Short mmCIF file of all heavy atoms in Angstrom, two decimals:
data_model
loop_
_atom_site.label_atom_id
_atom_site.label_comp_id
_atom_site.label_asym_id
_atom_site.label_seq_id
_atom_site.Cartn_x
_atom_site.Cartn_y
_atom_site.Cartn_z
N GLY A 42 18.23 -3.77 16.12
CA GLY A 42 17.56 -3.27 17.31
C GLY A 42 17.67 -4.26 18.45
O GLY A 42 17.98 -5.43 18.24
N VAL A 43 17.43 -3.77 19.64
CA VAL A 43 17.48 -4.62 20.83
C VAL A 43 16.19 -5.42 20.91
O VAL A 43 15.12 -4.94 20.59
CB VAL A 43 17.67 -3.75 22.09
CG1 VAL A 43 17.64 -4.60 23.34
CG2 VAL A 43 18.97 -2.99 22.00
N ILE A 57 40.71 -4.41 16.86
CA ILE A 57 41.55 -3.75 15.86
C ILE A 57 40.83 -2.54 15.26
O ILE A 57 41.43 -1.50 15.03
CB ILE A 57 41.98 -4.75 14.77
CG1 ILE A 57 42.95 -5.77 15.37
CG2 ILE A 57 42.60 -4.04 13.57
CD1 ILE A 57 43.29 -6.92 14.48
N ARG A 61 31.72 -3.76 17.46
CA ARG A 61 31.05 -4.48 18.55
C ARG A 61 29.70 -4.95 18.05
O ARG A 61 28.99 -4.21 17.38
CB ARG A 61 30.86 -3.57 19.77
CG ARG A 61 32.17 -3.19 20.43
CD ARG A 61 31.95 -2.21 21.53
NE ARG A 61 31.46 -0.99 20.90
CZ ARG A 61 31.11 0.10 21.57
NH1 ARG A 61 31.16 0.12 22.86
NH2 ARG A 61 30.69 1.17 20.93
N ILE A 73 14.54 -20.96 16.22
CA ILE A 73 14.73 -19.56 16.56
C ILE A 73 13.53 -18.80 16.01
O ILE A 73 13.30 -18.78 14.79
CB ILE A 73 16.04 -19.01 15.97
CG1 ILE A 73 17.23 -19.73 16.61
CG2 ILE A 73 16.14 -17.50 16.16
CD1 ILE A 73 18.57 -19.42 15.98
N CYS A 77 17.64 -10.58 16.39
CA CYS A 77 17.94 -9.18 16.07
C CYS A 77 19.32 -8.85 16.61
O CYS A 77 19.90 -9.61 17.38
CB CYS A 77 16.86 -8.25 16.60
SG CYS A 77 16.44 -8.46 18.31
N CYS A 83 31.53 -1.37 11.04
CA CYS A 83 31.57 -1.05 9.62
C CYS A 83 30.30 -1.54 8.91
O CYS A 83 29.51 -2.30 9.45
CB CYS A 83 32.81 -1.69 8.99
SG CYS A 83 32.86 -3.49 9.15
N GLU A 86 29.96 -5.29 8.78
CA GLU A 86 29.47 -5.90 10.02
C GLU A 86 27.94 -5.83 10.09
O GLU A 86 27.28 -6.80 10.42
CB GLU A 86 30.09 -5.21 11.24
CG GLU A 86 29.68 -5.84 12.54
CD GLU A 86 30.10 -7.29 12.63
OE1 GLU A 86 31.25 -7.61 12.32
OE2 GLU A 86 29.26 -8.12 13.00
N ALA A 88 25.83 -5.39 7.56
CA ALA A 88 25.26 -6.22 6.49
C ALA A 88 25.27 -7.70 6.88
O ALA A 88 24.30 -8.42 6.68
CB ALA A 88 26.02 -6.00 5.19
N LEU A 108 25.42 -22.67 10.27
CA LEU A 108 25.70 -21.54 9.39
C LEU A 108 27.21 -21.31 9.35
O LEU A 108 27.88 -21.36 10.38
CB LEU A 108 24.98 -20.28 9.91
CG LEU A 108 25.11 -19.03 9.05
CD1 LEU A 108 24.50 -19.24 7.66
CD2 LEU A 108 24.43 -17.86 9.75
N SER A 109 27.73 -21.05 8.17
CA SER A 109 29.19 -20.92 8.02
C SER A 109 29.58 -19.56 7.45
O SER A 109 28.77 -18.86 6.83
CB SER A 109 29.72 -22.01 7.08
OG SER A 109 29.30 -21.75 5.75
N SER A 110 30.84 -19.23 7.64
CA SER A 110 31.37 -18.00 7.06
C SER A 110 31.34 -18.08 5.53
O SER A 110 31.12 -17.08 4.85
CB SER A 110 32.78 -17.71 7.56
OG SER A 110 33.64 -18.77 7.26
N GLY A 119 30.94 -11.52 -1.12
CA GLY A 119 32.35 -11.47 -0.77
C GLY A 119 32.80 -10.11 -0.27
O GLY A 119 32.35 -9.08 -0.75
N ALA A 127 33.87 -9.68 9.96
CA ALA A 127 32.43 -9.49 10.18
C ALA A 127 31.71 -10.84 10.25
O ALA A 127 30.83 -11.04 11.09
CB ALA A 127 31.83 -8.64 9.06
N LEU A 129 33.02 -13.74 11.14
CA LEU A 129 33.44 -14.44 12.36
C LEU A 129 32.78 -13.85 13.60
O LEU A 129 32.42 -14.58 14.52
CB LEU A 129 34.96 -14.41 12.49
CG LEU A 129 35.72 -15.03 11.31
CD1 LEU A 129 37.21 -14.90 11.51
CD2 LEU A 129 35.31 -16.47 11.09
N LEU A 135 26.47 -15.93 17.49
CA LEU A 135 25.47 -16.98 17.29
C LEU A 135 25.79 -18.20 18.14
O LEU A 135 24.92 -18.74 18.83
CB LEU A 135 25.39 -17.35 15.81
CG LEU A 135 24.47 -18.51 15.45
CD1 LEU A 135 23.03 -18.24 15.88
CD2 LEU A 135 24.55 -18.80 13.95
N HIS A 136 27.03 -18.65 18.11
CA HIS A 136 27.39 -19.85 18.87
C HIS A 136 27.30 -19.61 20.38
O HIS A 136 26.89 -20.51 21.12
CB HIS A 136 28.76 -20.37 18.43
CG HIS A 136 28.72 -20.91 17.04
ND1 HIS A 136 29.61 -20.54 16.09
CD2 HIS A 136 27.86 -21.76 16.43
CE1 HIS A 136 29.31 -21.15 14.94
NE2 HIS A 136 28.25 -21.89 15.14
N LYS A 143 21.13 -23.87 24.89
CA LYS A 143 21.30 -25.31 25.16
C LYS A 143 21.43 -25.54 26.66
O LYS A 143 20.79 -26.45 27.21
CB LYS A 143 22.52 -25.85 24.42
CG LYS A 143 22.73 -27.34 24.61
CD LYS A 143 23.93 -27.83 23.83
CE LYS A 143 24.13 -29.31 24.08
NZ LYS A 143 25.31 -29.84 23.41
#
Side-chain angles (χ1 to χ4, degrees):
V43 176
I57 292 171
R61 292 175 295 178
I73 296 172
C77 51
C83 60
E86 183 60 47
L108 183 62
S109 70
S110 58
L129 302 178
L135 175 59
H136 292 130
K143 182 179 178 183

